[in-house]
Amino acid sequence: MISSVAVRAIAGRHSAIGIGGERGHGLARGRSIGGMNDVGTKTGDRPSAAAMRAGGERVRNAAARLFRERGYASTTMREVAERAEMQAGSIYYYYPSKQDLLSAVLDHVITTLTRRTLPLLADDGGAASYRERFRAAIREHMLTTIEMGDYALSFRRLVNELPDAVRQEFAEKRSILDERWRSLLANAARNGEIRDDVDLGAVRLLLVGAVNSTNEWFNPERGSLDSIADIVTAMLFDGLAPQG
């Protein structure tokens, strides 16, 4: 999912244009409160790397919530600034346009999922069975989705709203994780752990689609993540027919 967004500290300018003609004001200074501005520095000073990271995360979190609630097209940079409790022009310190901000939200989702699930899907030289690796990856994917909250929920909504350029970039980054899922299922079939006479591409789409929507259906009162991971694994490797 999406390349990292370069953070720009824009000084000496007083306005910026975002996509769709949105205009930011007071860009060079940000909002000044008691001699401090929105990036946590004295007015007129260049913000530190730590301040830029913290401010960028603050803006990105606000955008994820708004994208979840309103979608991409209906969210403005001014609304993101208000949700982040910043002056409208100040968020352009971190993201020059709304499309850059969209990329940052998607990048966070894909990067987090990849970092946490890819090692579990990787070939470990036979130390664990494909069944064991599948169960571990499914459980971690569900847990990561729940912990990402607004990010995971906004991701589900944003998929159908992506501009063409972002869609292409997103598909390229997501393909790394998709390919690892494909490889695990194909190898499990070759090893005789699952059937090889079904469309494994369709199986992957069904499984990953269900797991990506964990936030929408998971209820801890009806079962733990461990029990659900056991059920999903049993369905794939054993089927639903009576055993024996």
Side-chain angles (χ1 to χ4, degrees), residues 5 36 50 60 76 85 114 122 132-133 170 208 217 238:
V5 178
M36 303 294 286
R60 193 187 65 203
T76 68
E85 298 182 341
T114 300
E132 291 169 332
R133 287 160 55 191
F170 162 70
V208 174
W217 54 260
D238 303 327

Side-chain angles (χ1 to χ4, degrees), residues 71-156:
Y72 174 68
S74 298
T75 297
T76 68
M77 291 291 268
R78 183 173 295 278
E79 289 170 332
V80 174
E82 290 174 354
R83 186 66 63 93
E85 298 182 341
M86 291 184 179
Q87 193 171 19
S90 296
I91 64 173
Y92 292 95
Y93 273 108
Y94 312 104
Y95 301 102
S97 74
K98 190 170 74 167
Q99 186 165 307
D100 287 318
L101 188 48
L102 170 67
S103 292
V105 170
L106 293 174
D107 183 69
H108 179 75
V109 176
I110 291 296
T111 299
T112 303
L113 278 174
T114 300
R115 174 174 52 82
R116 292 179 57 166
T117 62
L118 204 63
L120 300 174
L121 292 166
D123 187 354
D124 61 0
S129 67
Y130 291 107
R131 182 186 188 117
E132 291 169 332
R133 287 160 55 191
F134 174 86
R135 183 198 178 280
I138 282 289
R139 186 191 182 283
E140 187 64 26
H141 195 136
M142 289 190 294
L143 177 62
T144 304
T145 300
I146 291 170
E147 290 179 348
M148 283 194 294
D150 289 327
Y151 282 90
L153 289 167
S154 67
F155 172 80
R156 295 271 296 167

Side-chain angles (χ1 to χ4, degrees), residues 204-226:
R204 179 186 62 82
L205 290 173
L206 287 168
L207 288 170
V208 174
V211 173
N212 281 343
S213 62
T214 301
N215 273 332
E216 299 174 20
W217 54 260
F218 176 66
N219 182 349
E221 295 181 358
R222 298 179 61 182
S224 67
L225 286 179
D226 283 315

Side-chain angles (χ1 to χ4, degrees), residues 4 8 10 44 47 58 67 69 85 108 174 198 240:
S4 300
R8 298 182 184 177
I10 306 175
R58 181 173 154 195
F67 290 158
E69 296 167 5
E85 298 182 341
H108 179 75
R174 190 176 64 175
V198 295
L240 293 178

